Amino acid sequence: EIVMTQSPATLSVSPGERVTLSCRASQSVNRNLAWYQHKPGQSPRLVIYAASARATGIPARFSGSGSGTEFSLTISSLQSEDFALYFCQQYDNWPPRYTFGQGTKLEI
Amino acid sequence: EVQLVESGGGLVQPGGSLRLSCEASGFTLSDYSLNWVRQAPGKRLEWIAYISGNAKTVFYSESVKGRFTISRDDANNLVYLQMSSLRDEDTAVYYCARDHLDGGNRHFDSWGRGITVTVS
């Protein structure tokens, strides 16, 4: 099984800052990598898929990069609504298989 | 608006059974594959089951294979997860998530808010 490792576990940042979250795969996943945002009491929300494609409705301040085993999610200028848990997910197209990172919490 | 709403969770004894439901709205359910994902306390998310849009293909994680069954009722916009032989380690928040395949890239483009299952 492919293991996804995110770092750091928690990131203390301020509004307006630029932040980069990391996700590492134990073996190559090509560009089969998605990022999600999860706020308490809400449904997880797709942010990035295919490593760098922004999901519908996601602001341009969010960007994803990477391939193979190293990936990153960058938020160029943090807004108050961006403080949340972010987790990465790798996927096998067929058969469908998914594994998740443990998450990075962005806090003020 | 696309919505997925889970129900049917609760407290169950080890060895017992429970059926979770996921009610879909805002889209044609039969056009999509669906998944169940869970998160045990202090653990990362774990994908556990997949069902194709035509219900002919299902897949399970090794941790639930043989104990859990995913099914769907498109006429009533429902996806189910029948759980049996429940164990303490099945205690988790369970999410349903819509599967989306876009140009060869698979991801979950919509999730429910989750429902808690406690095995004790």
Side-chain angles (χ1 to χ4, degrees):
Chain A
E1 178 182 289
I2 298 174
V3 178
M4 308 302 293
T5 302
Q6 291 186 243
S7 60
T10 304
L11 202 51
S12 297
V13 291
S14 300
E17 286 187 12
R18 177 185 179 92
V19 64
T20 297
L21 286 60
S22 295
C23 177
R24 175 177 293 178
S26 59
Q27 64 190 74
S28 177
V29 299
N30 298 309
R31 292 178 61 82
N32 294 349
L33 194 285
W35 290 92
Y36 299 85
Q37 178 192 72
H38 194 190
K39 298 179 181 179
Q42 297 186 17
S43 308
R45 179 189 185 192
L46 176 68
V47 178
I48 297 286
Y49 65 96
S52 61
R54 259 192 314 275
T56 303
I58 298 300
R61 63 180 180 271
F62 289 87
S63 63
S65 65
S67 65
T69 62
E70 299 284 343
F71 299 89
S72 61
L73 173 69
T74 297
I75 308 172
S76 60
S77 178
L78 276 165
Q79 305 298 303
S80 58
E81 61 266 29
D82 300 336
F83 290 92
L85 178 72
Y86 291 84
F87 57 90
C88 62
Q89 173 204 46
Q90 72 84 26
Y91 47 88
D92 297 327
N93 280 336
W94 200 261
R97 289 285 189 267
Y98 309 89
T99 55
F100 297 87
Q102 78 275 32
T104 291
K105 181 181 179 182
L106 284 186
E107 62 178 26
I108 299 176
Chain B
E1 180 192 5
V2 172
Q3 275 200 319
L4 298 168
V5 180
E6 302 92 344
S7 62
L11 176 65
V12 60
Q13 293 183 339
S17 299
L18 205 59
R19 188 178 79 164
L20 303 184
S21 300
C22 173
E23 183 173 9
S25 60
F27 66 101
T28 301
L29 184 59
S30 58
D31 288 344
Y32 289 88
S33 302
L34 270 293
N35 299 270
W36 285 96
V37 179
R38 69 183 180 183
Q39 186 167 31
K43 304 285 189 179
R44 66 183 66 197
L45 287 159
E46 177 192 16
W47 167 83
I48 57 172
Y50 164 97
I51 186 167
S52 62
N54 60 12
K56 291 183 178 180
T57 303
V58 295
F59 290 104
Y60 300 95
S61 68
E62 290 300 319
S63 60
V64 306
K65 192 180 295 183
R67 300 187 300 122
F68 290 12
T69 302
I70 189 171
S71 61
R72 60 192 299 155
D73 176 359
D74 291 338
N76 290 298
N77 296 308
L78 290 165
V79 178
Y80 300 106
L81 185 69
Q82 178 68 48
M83 305 185 294
S84 59
S85 302
L86 283 162
R87 306 165 180 166
D88 290 350
E89 55 264 35
D90 295 318
T91 294
V93 176
Y94 286 73
Y95 298 90
C96 62
R98 192 174 79 169
D99 200 279
H100 187 66
L101 189 58
D102 179 358
N105 296 292
R106 188 179 290 277
H107 48 273
F108 297 165
D109 66 352
S110 186
W111 297 62
R113 294 193 177 196
I115 192 77
T116 299
V117 172
T118 303
V119 184
S120 179

